[in-house]
Amino acid sequence: MRARFFEFVELARSSFWYLPSMMMAAGLALFALTLAIDRLGITGGFVAAVFYSGGVNNAASLLQTLTGAMVAIATVVFSTMMVVLTLATSQFGHRLIRSFMRDRANQAVLGIFLATFVFCLLVFHMVGNDADNTFVPGVSLTVGFVLAIFSTCTLIYFTHHMASLVAAPEVLEAVGSEFDAAIARVYPARAAGDDTSKRRMSYQPTGTPRDEVVCPQAGYIQVIGVAALCDLAAKHDIVIESVVTYGDHVVAGLALARIHGGVIDDSIRAAVARQYVVGDERLTDHDLLFAINQVAEVGARALSPALNNPYTALDCINRIAASLADVLSRGLPDLAHVDDKGTPRFLLDLPDFASLLDGAFTPLRNYGSTSIQTMMQLLLTIEKLAELARRDVEQNALRRQADALL
């Protein structure tokens, strides 16, 4: 259940419907509030001076203008976003579409225009909606007018934001921040005085697995309910060994996990399978290799003959260096997850520093082999990271990359 909830949250974050829908609902709530105030029939000098107090015809004309303008501007906003997404896809790669769709500013601007349109449309419906055909919701109309002015101001911000959003430094920072967030979720923060040579907890099951849990559909592993699987394994006194990890592509009928010990039935298999969320695309929340591949793809495309922009590749290498330095400053994630008694219950393989280094440097080394600047920057980055590497396995990974460059 928790795995499915996390999948919904991720889809909501990277969609154009969730936040705008919530803002449209807020517009409905605001309309209900202002209409209730209008129905109280509050009058007086202050009310007449601040809120609209004209006739029905003028109110209807004003609301027609406001609703028409909001529809036109919302269309322009949505069209502009589609053009920017198309340009970003061609220059930086289709994998970055989700990063652009996650941008809260774009979602908020679209939501503001839609909420204003819905609010003004509902107010327009209430003008003259009484027995005498004279009812004018002055408070609601004034609020709608203010919302229209605010929406126009957001259009100015939106124009500036979209212009800066497709700049290479902004793109690198957006995908780099996603990689940093994934690192923080997977790699534990190192406490003061931690032993740098400490190995991460692992466990090797003995004997032949009792059973296997197969995948019901093809796709990419997006979410794994680690906590739920640990609880399930502790409840039935079993050990669940995951065959796949975040970002792996699976096909229907192949194994997701192996189960060791205990008595296994169909209900346990189904419960284990439900904790693996399989989708059509990879996500960056826990998929470190996909997150770093997104950053490396920006540099690889910059080195292509079509763009031939090595300076963007240099910025990409520097951004990768900052993220890998964060990995080196953290502890190692455990491969074995234990229950409250310290008994290993769930085994999940996660990428180490060497895998992340290869995922970032290999494509840049291949595509930048003819660029002296790129090769020198890669060597300089390895030198910087070598000063931070405290474990032999990390130093060996850096040495292998240096040897490949030379």
Side-chain angles (χ1 to χ4, degrees), residues 306-340:
L307 298 179
N308 193 22
N309 186 3
Y311 295 102
T312 298
L314 300 184
D315 293 338
C316 177
I317 295 171
N318 292 333
R319 188 61 181 84
I320 290 173
S323 297
L324 291 179
D326 185 27
V327 174
L328 292 174
S329 68
R330 294 175 175 270
L332 295 173
D334 292 329
L335 302 181
H337 299 268
V338 300
D339 58 15
D340 296 337

Side-chain angles (χ1 to χ4, degrees), residues 30-84:
L30 180 62
F31 166 73
L33 176 62
T34 57
L35 182 63
I37 297 175
D38 284 319
R39 291 193 180 280
L40 293 177
I42 300 176
T43 59
F46 175 77
V47 175
V50 175
F51 297 104
Y52 180 85
S53 56
V56 173
N57 293 332
N58 290 338
S61 299
L62 178 60
L63 287 169
Q64 284 178 341
T65 302
L66 293 179
T67 52
M70 290 303 103
V71 170
I73 297 177
T75 303
V76 172
V77 168
F78 190 77
S79 301
T80 304
M81 285 192 291
M82 292 300 100
V83 172
V84 170

